[in-house]
Amino acid sequence: FLLKTHMQPERVLYVSSQNASTIFPVFANRLEYSKQEEKIVITLHNLQKNDSDMYVCAGVVKNSPLLSVNGSGTMMLIKEVEQTDCSNSSWGIYTLIIMVVLLFSALICCTLYRVN
């Protein structure tokens, strides 16, 4: 099992010894995993703020309803990032460059006119 344990305890992924898997609804379409021998690599996509939690791997103890937790887990803290629209700011830079070039050209023209 991959479990969320603190903020909102719930199951995330179950992989059986026969490679049958269940991805629970909280990460449907947002989780990929691969299994090679005794190693499972889990990738979570499109993380959201409410995905912040402590994640632990746990195994089922044979002939028992208990879970055996491996290690101390991994704390994931997801913070929202403000997305900026870069297209508007780039027009400002282009406009500024064009104005500088035009003013520089006007300065050169005025200087050449006075020299003659």
Side-chain angles (χ1 to χ4, degrees):
F1 283 98
L2 175 64
L3 307 168
K4 286 175 68 172
T5 60
H6 288 301
M7 306 294 265
Q8 294 178 306
E10 57 191 320
R11 295 174 179 175
V12 176
L13 171 68
Y14 171 75
V15 180
S16 74
S17 57
Q18 293 82 27
N19 284 336
S21 66
T22 302
I23 298 174
F24 291 88
V26 68
F27 276 101
N29 302 319
R30 300 192 302 137
L31 183 147
E32 293 176 16
Y33 81 95
S34 62
K35 183 176 179 184
Q36 297 173 335
E37 297 174 20
E38 297 297 315
K39 181 179 178 182
I40 296 178
V41 176
I42 299 168
T43 305
L44 305 173
H45 299 281
N46 300 324
L47 294 172
Q48 302 160 3
K49 195 171 183 177
N50 63 347
D51 292 329
S52 295
D53 210 321
M54 178 68 74
Y55 289 77
V56 297
C57 291
V60 177
V61 178
K62 287 186 179 182
N63 301 323
S64 172
L66 300 176
L67 294 176
S68 171
V69 175
N70 301 328
S72 59
T74 301
M75 178 65 178
M76 290 198 330
L77 180 60
I78 314 302
K79 67 180 219 179
E80 293 182 39
V81 177
E82 219 177 278
Q83 293 185 351
T84 57
D85 186 9
C86 295
S87 61
N88 289 339
S89 62
S90 62
W91 282 110
I93 292 171
Y94 292 137
T95 303
L96 181 62
I97 291 171
I98 290 170
M99 293 299 290
V100 168
V101 168
L102 288 174
L103 288 172
F104 187 70
S105 299
L107 179 64
I108 290 174
C109 288
C110 288
T111 304
L112 291 175
Y113 179 75
R114 299 253 178 204
V115 170
N116 287 337

